[in-house]
Amino acid sequence: MPRGDKSKYTDKQERKADHIAEGYEKRGVSDKEAERRACATVNKDDGGGKKEGGSGRGKHTGHPAAHKGGKSGGKASASRSAASRSESAKKAAATRKRNAEHRAH
């Protein structure tokens, strides 16, 4: 089986890759590049194809990176003052506005 062959992807992995690729295509990425990025993401999350191989058993998907976010987040923000968080939010909003204006030109 050559490198990059997706024959060992389960149906769920294929659906996942298709969904990710659609998101990239909506953002203007070419079809081929979107497909490449989607497969890379699925491989990162699941460690490659999960269909049964030569060993006679499939691999468990474990804890993909996409599902880890909520466990560790929030601690740093909770320890900061309200004024500090507000200042950061204002700065972020200004950056988003500046970037939007830059993209509009």
Side-chain angles (χ1 to χ4, degrees):
M1 182 169 23
R3 284 178 61 121
D5 183 33
K6 305 300 177 240
S7 64
K8 291 292 182 184
Y9 272 13
T10 62
D11 291 342
K12 182 176 181 178
Q13 287 177 310
E14 288 177 12
R15 288 193 308 272
K16 191 176 186 181
D18 289 342
H19 183 73
I20 294 167
E22 283 176 23
Y24 278 121
E25 288 167 11
K26 282 183 187 174
R27 288 186 265 168
V29 177
S30 72
D31 289 356
K32 193 171 182 180
E33 176 67 8
E35 185 75 18
R36 188 193 68 75
R37 290 185 190 183
C39 291
T41 303
V42 170
N43 286 342
K44 179 190 73 171
D45 284 352
D46 295 347
K50 298 293 174 191
K51 272 194 188 165
E52 295 177 3
S55 63
R57 61 180 92 99
K59 297 185 236 168
H60 179 62
T61 59
H63 300 285
H67 294 193
K68 286 184 176 178
K71 293 181 182 177
S72 58
K75 291 177 188 168
S77 180
S79 65
R80 294 170 58 199
S81 69
S84 173
R85 289 196 312 272
S86 177
E87 188 179 339
S88 290
K90 288 176 185 171
K91 184 177 178 185
T95 300
R96 283 192 296 272
K97 183 178 178 185
R98 194 170 57 246
N99 288 343
E101 288 171 358
H102 180 71
R103 281 193 291 271
H105 295 321

